[in-house]
Amino acid sequence: MARLSCNGVMPHTPTIVLPTLSSVSMKPSTINSRNLLPRRLVFLAYVLGVLGATLAPLSGEAYAAVSGLDKLVHVGLFGGVAVLLCWNLNSVSITTARFVLLLTTAFAAIIELVQGRLWYRSGDYWDLLAGALGAALGIGFAWIVARTWTRSEY
């Protein structure tokens, strides 16, 4: 008869640990504050680019030519914000994913509120929804990339 250890697992039985969403980390082994500076600068430059693209006066000809292009642009822009934010936080755990989704959606909401006050732009709830969708897709993409990195390190 086989003997069980106190935790119910057979002694000398190999344990297989699979990565889960809560355990996947984007942390390379040599992260320090010097390595994070380029990440922070890329994130800052991207956020400034998003602000410029969403708050600058633009002609509506490109958006009028292709139906839904405005929403697709919002998905892409805020998906990029979410990916870069996950990269800067070095994690895509459940807690981080919620934080990134909340922060990115709040950023999209603030932009829509500001656009509603500008005479040459208009705020739109559908744009906010597209921004939140982009954030969720960006988090999913960051999770896939982090999971791939984690598997390739072993």
Side-chain angles (χ1 to χ4, degrees):
M1 185 168 155
R3 297 184 68 191
L4 294 176
S5 67
C6 62
N7 63 3
V9 178
M10 301 256 326
H12 308 292
T13 304
T15 304
I16 299 172
V17 179
L18 298 174
T20 62
L21 182 61
S22 62
S23 67
V24 175
S25 173
M26 299 175 80
K27 294 180 182 177
S29 58
T30 59
I31 290 240
N32 59 36
S33 60
R34 202 173 92 187
N35 293 347
L36 291 176
L37 181 61
R39 292 180 184 202
R40 304 288 195 257
L41 293 176
V42 168
F43 178 72
L44 179 64
Y46 189 83
V47 167
L48 290 175
V50 169
L51 286 171
T54 56
L55 299 178
L58 298 173
S59 68
E61 295 171 10
Y63 293 129
V66 180
S67 177
L69 180 63
D70 179 40
K71 307 309 177 241
L72 188 60
V73 167
H74 275 78
V75 168
L77 287 175
F78 292 102
V81 170
V83 167
L84 291 175
L85 194 53
C86 286
W87 184 43
N88 274 276
L89 295 173
N90 295 321
S91 174
V92 283
S93 67
I94 294 291
T95 304
T96 304
R98 288 178 182 155
F99 174 72
V100 169
L101 183 63
L102 178 70
L103 193 63
T104 306
T105 303
F107 182 50
I110 290 168
I111 286 176
E112 292 306 316
L113 287 172
V114 171
Q115 282 182 344
R117 299 280 184 195
L118 298 174
W119 61 271
Y120 53 87
R121 298 296 293 247
S122 63
D124 185 5
Y125 290 113
W126 291 109
D127 286 348
L128 174 59
L129 185 62
L133 175 65
L137 292 174
I139 292 166
F141 178 75
W143 181 74
I144 290 169
V145 169
R147 190 168 175 201
T148 303
W149 281 349
T150 304
R151 286 186 178 174
S152 67
E153 288 179 356
Y154 298 108

